[in-house]
Every structure is written in structure tokens, then in C-alpha cells.
Amino acid sequence: MVKNKKDITEKTLEDYNDVFADIVNGLLFGGEQVVHEDELSPVPTTSQYKTDDGEIHEQERDVSKLWKDVTITVALIGVENQTDPDSDMIFRVMGYDGASYRSQLLAGKERYPVITLVLYFGYESHWNQRTLYDRLDIPDKLKEYVSDYRMNVFEIAYLEDEVIERFHSDFGIVARYFSQKRKKEKYKPTSEEIKHVDEVLKLMKVLTGDNRFQEAQKQKRISKEGGSMTMIDVFGEFIAEGEARGEARGEARAYRKMGLTDEEIAEKMDKTVEEVREILREKEVVAS
């Protein structure tokens, strides 16, 4: 199965044990350091299932790890990423979890719980369907015989500030960005150190579609081997540039409302006519 670019990029950051443990501790345990990165080990993300016509198909989790306390497996934890609400996600989660339990059955005597976390990065609307009952229109007379199933969906952009503060890894930087996006605030970079710089910027570029994350990467010559940086280091010049462009846009539009021509505005702003026209065509960007 070939994963698309967005899936691969999301997985790259979360596959680091420090980030994975941080996500679990922040979302499940109130920030208490219950899961430690040295207790996590990767497991195959691909499982197979047979359809009604007898064909074998594969299904693949985004990230999956075993949590072991010394020699005892505490749980298998999987993480799935979504940028849009998916009404059929409940069926996929049921498939992932069922396949994991079946693997335990076939592998030996060890039995442990399976937990799937769905991380939703969208901010235009909430994720409303979280259970099998939400997805299916089940007649009341059948509900007694249909077992419900619930997904653990976490809406990253809607997390409270105190929840975001629980994160100590690079995931906190990502969560804070989407929270500010949802609130329609201008992005305020912090001085906290980014450990996995390349992966964070690639993830932000893919999730947001904003090419400035990629440009920051190029201009700062960031690579996987590069040293740690902060979001201020990476985006300071872009934010300053954006503010300057915003001021120029406001000035040009004010002159336009006064009835000045493009040529007269260019003269007052000491710019070319084409530069003025480009500024006037620009749309205001809420978050950098």
C-alpha cells in the first residue's frame, strides 16, 4: 500500500518516541509522565483482511507502538491523523483494533488492550460522529443487540490552552499553531526549542498548505542533520515581512478610498505602479 505525502509526513514526526509519548501523556494522562519514550517500540502498521469475495486487502495505521513496562506489554497504542471529519472513520478504527486483537490471538498467550487515538487537525468545524451509534441509524428494537463502539477523537485546534501546555515535545508547537489558527489569531512564535526541525516544518507545510514553512526551511538551510532552532528563529523575518506588507496594504487601500489613481498612490508610497497594484490585489492573511 502506497501512503500519500500527507500521511507519510504526519507519521514522520509522530514516529519519534518522545513525540509519541508526549501525545499520549498529554491527551490521556493529563500531562503526567506515565508513558516514557524508552518503553515504546514500533510494531507493524499493516494488517490484512478478507472481503466477501475472498480477496485479501491491506489496511494500515498511521503510527502504532507497543508500550512495555519492563517485560510486560501494557498496551498497543495507535495514532491516526485527520484533517477533515470522516464519517466512516469509526469503521476503520474498528478494523484496526480488531486486527490487533486477532494478531494477539494468533501470536500466543499474551493479551493486552488496544487504544487508538484519532488526532483531528481541522478547525473549520467540529468532529461530531464519534460512535457506531452516531454513524448508523439503528432501530430502537435492535439497539439492545448492537454493541456500540466509541472512537477517541481529539480535536487539536480546539484543545484548551492548559491542555496544550501539557505537551513538552514538538507536538506542542504544532498544537499551539492550530489553536491560534482556529481562534483567528495572528501566529505568535515562541522561543521554545524545536527538536525535530525538519519534520515539524514539513508537517506544517503539508497540513496547512502554506509554502512559507517550506521557504523557511530553504532560507535557514534546515536539514535532518541541522541543529535545534526556535519558531522565532525560523519565522521571525517572515512575520516581520508580513506585518510590513499588511501596513503597505492598509496604506494603499486608504489612498484608493481617497480617490487617488494607482500612479498617484505609487508616487506617495515610493513604489512602482505594478507594486501598488500587486499590493492592492493581495488578500489579508490572518495567521502567518
Side-chain angles (χ1 to χ4, degrees), residues 118-134:
V118 177
L119 308 185
Y120 169 52
F121 292 94
Y123 50 86
E124 297 294 343
S125 62
H126 284 286
W127 187 304
N128 295 317
Q129 294 186 334
R130 297 168 181 260
T131 70
L132 186 62
Y133 276 27
D134 290 338

Side-chain angles (χ1 to χ4, degrees), residues 93-111:
V93 170
M94 291 172 65
Y96 298 145
D97 293 354
S100 297
Y101 283 120
R102 181 167 179 78
S103 294
Q104 295 177 38
L105 184 64
L106 297 175
K109 295 182 178 180
E110 190 176 25
R111 302 286 183 266

Side-chain angles (χ1 to χ4, degrees), residues 170-231:
D170 292 342
F171 189 77
I173 296 171
V174 176
R176 191 171 296 108
Y177 177 89
F178 281 96
S179 174
Q180 292 183 21
K181 262 291 214 186
R182 192 259 305 173
K183 296 173 184 175
K184 299 189 183 302
E185 298 175 350
K186 286 188 176 181
Y187 177 58
K188 299 175 183 178
T190 63
S191 59
E192 61 187 303
E193 192 175 86
I194 307 171
K195 183 177 181 181
H196 309 293
V197 180
D198 185 73
E199 289 77 10
V200 167
L201 294 183
K202 283 181 178 177
L203 173 63
M204 299 292 270
K205 161 62 175 65
V206 171
L207 290 179
T208 65
D210 190 336
N211 289 322
R212 282 172 294 181
F213 289 101
Q214 188 175 24
E215 288 303 312
Q217 223 173 356
K218 292 178 181 177
Q219 292 194 22
K220 296 297 183 179
R221 297 179 182 178
I222 298 168
S223 67
K224 288 184 178 180
E225 293 75 28
S228 296
M229 302 186 72
T230 71
M231 291 299 266

Side-chain angles (χ1 to χ4, degrees), residues 41-47 59-61 63-66 76 100:
S41 58
V43 293
T45 57
T46 302
S47 58
Q59 57 185 6
E60 185 172 358
R61 285 184 180 272
V63 186
S64 186
K65 292 182 182 289
L66 279 180
L76 183 144
S100 297

Side-chain angles (χ1 to χ4, degrees), residues 261-273:
T261 65
D262 292 350
E263 289 75 13
E264 291 170 330
I265 296 173
E267 184 177 352
K268 285 187 172 292
M269 295 182 65
D270 194 24
K271 294 183 181 295
T272 67
V273 173

Side-chain angles (χ1 to χ4, degrees), residues 13-23 35-42 65-66 169 196:
L13 177 64
E14 294 164 356
D15 202 38
Y16 285 105
N17 280 1
D18 66 309
V19 177
F20 193 94
D22 193 41
I23 292 171
V35 180
H36 301 280
E37 57 181 291
D38 59 356
E39 297 173 342
L40 297 170
S41 58
K65 292 182 182 289
L66 279 180
S169 73
H196 309 293

